[in-house]
Amino acid sequence: MTDQTTLIPNPVAQAADRTNTRKVFIKTYGCQMNVYDSVRMGDALASEGYVTTDRAEDADLVLLNTCHIREKAADKVYSALGRLRDMKKERNAEGRELMVGVTGCVAQAEGEEILRRSSAVDVVIGPQTYHRLPQALKRARQGERVVDTDYAVEDKFEHLPVPDKKVIRSRGVTSFLTVQEGCDKFCTFCVVPYTRGSEVSRPLAQILDEAKQLADAGVREITLLGQNVNAWHGTGPDGSTWGLGDLLYRLAEIPGLARLRYTTSHPRDMDDRLIEAHRDLRALMPYLHLPVQAGSDRVLKAMNRRHTAEEYIRLIERIRAARPDIALSGDFIVGFPGETDAEFEDTLKLVETVRYAQSFSFKYSTRPGTPGAELGSQVAEEVKAERLERLQALLLKQQHEFAESCVGKVIDILLEKPGRMPEQLIGRSPWLQSVNVDAKSSQIGDIISVRIVGTGPNSLFAERIER
Ligand code: 5AD
Ligand code: SF4
């Protein structure tokens, strides 16, 4: 998944000037699942009269929606809490309220410990209980410090309000939709099975309802989310078991929904039906994030990935045979305990063989409580740094090569937002690249044909063509 720090868009903040309205600032760390959760937390708070703001200074409530995947991600939270403690002191001196909440994966993993480490925090809410945020805030306002990190005792999605069409549309023409949470794979480096719990799929009807609401409001592209999204399963209308492939065929029938994506997948769950969906569905974008983590069979085994490098490469060949224009993206970890130079070279070899359009690569970070943390033979920091640099140079080269290979192509882009110049709009290519184009007569939400004419550092340039 993409690692990012995101500010949740602020559709209604301007309406918040009324003095009786409380304002919430939600800071999102980590993956797209957290981005989605932050939006839904905003919805839960909207029904309590909160509006979102993009300025912490204006907020009556600051929520940090946190990530625990690597040590650095978790550390960021405590430095942010240090700053909030000072801000809270200043506010209190002025007789004004500032409440602080920690949500997400650090909240789940550390619970009470957060209250001990930071006096600024009023509420700690895990990823499965954020529908109870309004009640927790009420209790906190009465002076209690609240920790609510139960695993799914009830389905939070059933308890979350659905925003109206205008609010949905104000968030843009693309949307995330969580269909699956948690993980039963237990890769030995990963905290997710501990922070997000075991694999749970949302029921088919709930997903279809949400997708239809989004489409009705004008959303053109949906990205299905899950820590293990292709492990999603549900019961079809005829009582049969459905997998993600079946779900995608069904979603592709929803009027108005032009584009579908999903992330993040595990190679073990790429079944035939899902590969067929890539072959058959025009709406399913030819882009697949399929992390492999490492290229050495010994390391893959130690990571408990449950496939070999060869099996992964064969799988990619099958996917490419079904959908030749598919672009691949991956996650990589360098310096897993015991990784030798030769084993690291195997990762480079695999990257050379597969050729990625996009990628995310990380130094191994020891996570307390995971089997990886118990292993001896941790790799020295400078060795990790050197390996990461070499891997990233190769991945970046491939990313540029992929972008260059797009020049001259005629493709459809979904117009997503205004560009820097007055008549320019920014669209999204099927392969998830940003595309700048002069598109006077078009509007956001349109899908238009363009010819790619050049590449920039992080985007493409295109001219509009009529088809
Ligand atoms: N150290 C480094 N990277 C990690 N990831 C997950 N756990 C760790 C860790 N302990 C990476 C994996 C995963 C991505 C979301 O984060 O590559 O696919
Ligand atoms: Fe973590 Fe592995 Fe599960 Fe992905 S599949 S969330 S890396 S345990």
Side-chain angles (χ1 to χ4, degrees):
M1 285 208 175
T2 327
D3 203 42
Q4 55 192 218
T5 299
T6 321
L7 210 61
I8 292 308
N10 171 26
V12 279
Q14 290 84 350
D17 291 335
R18 286 170 294 147
T19 43
N20 59 345
T21 316
R22 289 202 173 99
K23 295 184 195 174
V24 55
F25 170 79
I26 307 178
K27 173 90 175 163
T28 308
Y29 300 86
C31 67
Q32 291 99 328
M33 303 273 302
N34 268 9
V35 175
Y36 176 84
D37 287 347
S38 291
V39 172
R40 300 303 305 262
M41 276 186 237
D43 292 343
L45 292 169
S47 60
E48 298 293 308
Y50 278 94
V51 296
T52 50
T53 171
D54 51 12
R55 285 165 49 89
E57 308 82 76
D58 293 345
D60 306 287
L61 168 65
V62 173
L63 293 178
L64 304 180
N65 193 15
T66 61
C67 172
H68 202 240
I69 196 94
R70 285 169 292 275
E71 198 176 355
K72 255 197 203 155
D75 287 348
K76 278 189 200 161
V77 178
Y78 285 104
S79 15
L81 285 175
R83 292 191 295 274
L84 284 169
R85 190 193 49 213
D86 297 341
M87 198 165 131
K88 199 169 181 168
K89 267 193 204 138
E90 285 166 26
R91 283 284 184 92
N92 290 348
E94 295 163 14
R96 284 170 62 206
E97 175 188 276
L98 176 65
M99 301 202 78
V100 176
V102 178
T103 64
C105 294
V106 175
Q108 189 65 45
E110 306 206 344
E112 298 266 351
E113 176 65 16
I114 298 175
L115 298 186
R116 270 192 291 278
R117 280 183 65 176
S118 174
S119 59
V121 179
D122 301 289
V123 295
V124 177
I125 305 273
Q128 302 307 337
T129 43
Y130 62 76
H131 57 296
R132 300 205 290 241
L133 199 51
Q135 292 94 302
L137 290 170
K138 270 180 206 144
R139 282 162 60 196
R141 208 160 281 120
Q142 284 153 13
E144 199 181 335
R145 298 182 86 198
V146 184
V147 178
D148 187 355
T149 53
D150 285 345
Y151 278 123
V153 267
E154 61 211 5
D155 179 356
K156 66 171 176 272
F157 295 110
E158 282 187 0
H159 295 262
L160 287 166
V162 179
D164 69 32
K165 276 189 194 178
K166 255 202 212 138
V167 173
I168 295 178
R169 181 59 185 80
S170 69
R171 291 173 181 160
V173 292
T174 63
S175 179
F176 292 136
L177 197 176
T178 292
V179 299
Q180 180 282 335
E181 284 190 272
C183 183
D184 292 339
K185 297 279 189 308
F186 290 94
C187 298
T188 54
F189 52 80
C190 187
V191 284
V192 165
Y194 312 97
T195 54
R196 288 273 175 168
S198 57
E199 232 165 77
V200 180
S201 293
R202 284 179 75 186
L204 176 65
Q206 217 186 58
I207 296 167
L208 293 179
D209 281 351
E210 192 167 327
K212 283 179 200 151
Q213 279 152 10
L214 293 169
D216 280 351
V219 167
R220 306 296 318 275
E221 173 180 305
I222 289 184
T223 301
L224 306 179
L225 297 181
Q227 265 96 24
N228 238 293
V229 72
N230 57 344
W232 179 87
H233 55 277
T235 309
D238 59 354
S240 64
T241 299
W242 276 24
L244 188 70
D246 302 296
L247 175 63
L248 286 162
Y249 278 92
R250 178 67 190 82
L251 289 168
E253 291 170 6
I254 295 178
L257 264 191
R259 293 182 157 199
L260 297 168
R261 304 178 185 275
Y262 60 91
T263 197
T264 286
S265 303
H266 193 287
R268 287 279 297 228
D269 293 321
M270 285 304 298
D271 62 16
D272 292 346
R273 184 73 171 147
L274 187 51
I275 297 175
E276 281 164 21
H278 278 286
R279 181 194 63 199
D280 296 342
L281 299 177
R282 245 175 62 90
L284 182 55
M285 290 294 100
Y287 182 95
L288 177 63
H289 183 61
L290 195 62
V292 64
Q293 314 295 357
S296 134
D297 288 343
R298 193 206 60 84
V299 173
L300 285 169
K301 192 153 195 284
M303 287 177 163
N304 193 31
R305 291 293 291 180
R306 296 188 282 171
H307 62 76
T308 62
E310 189 61 25
E311 282 161 350
Y312 179 83
I313 290 166
R314 293 281 95 83
L315 173 62
I316 300 289
E317 284 169 357
R318 282 173 53 222
I319 297 166
R320 281 190 167 137
R323 183 78 206 224
D325 64 341
I326 202 158
L328 287 161
S329 140
D331 288 342
F332 301 89
I333 295 177
V334 300
F336 185 79
E339 185 186 68
T340 64
D341 284 338
E343 287 166 345
F344 168 65
E345 296 290 334
D346 289 339
T347 300
L348 297 177
K349 268 185 227 145
L350 180 141
V351 171
E352 295 276 13
T353 307
V354 174
R355 288 172 290 115
Y356 290 89
Q358 253 288 6
S359 49
F360 306 91
S361 45
F362 315 98
K363 288 190 266 186
Y364 171 73
S365 163
T366 308
R367 306 312 291 130
T370 61
E374 307 297 312
L375 296 171
S377 60
Q378 299 284 332
V379 174
E381 199 50 38
E382 54 281 13
V383 175
K384 285 191 217 173
E386 193 245 330
R387 287 181 189 167
L388 187 66
E389 201 175 306
R390 281 183 65 198
L391 175 62
Q392 287 187 337
L394 175 60
L395 290 166
L396 193 64
K397 180 170 144 267
Q398 293 193 345
Q399 190 179 322
H400 288 154
E401 283 167 358
F402 178 74
E404 287 298 333
S405 77
C406 295
V407 175
K409 279 188 185 155
V410 170
I411 60 168
D412 284 348
I413 61 169
L414 167 61
L415 297 174
E416 284 187 3
K417 54 184 175 193
R420 288 220 188 107
M421 305 300 173
E423 290 185 335
Q424 222 178 40
L425 291 174
I426 299 177
R428 185 76 59 185
S429 83
W431 308 293
L432 217 51
Q433 300 136 303
S434 287
V435 181
N436 305 285
V437 65
D438 279 342
K440 307 177 199 43
S441 54
S442 306
Q443 50 186 349
I444 289 167
D446 288 351
I447 293 175
I448 62 166
S449 291
V450 300
R451 177 179 289 108
I452 305 298
V453 293
T455 63
N458 289 308
S459 62
L460 300 175
F461 297 95
E463 59 191 22
R464 174 159 203 179
I465 57 160
E466 296 304 331
R467 263 217 290 213

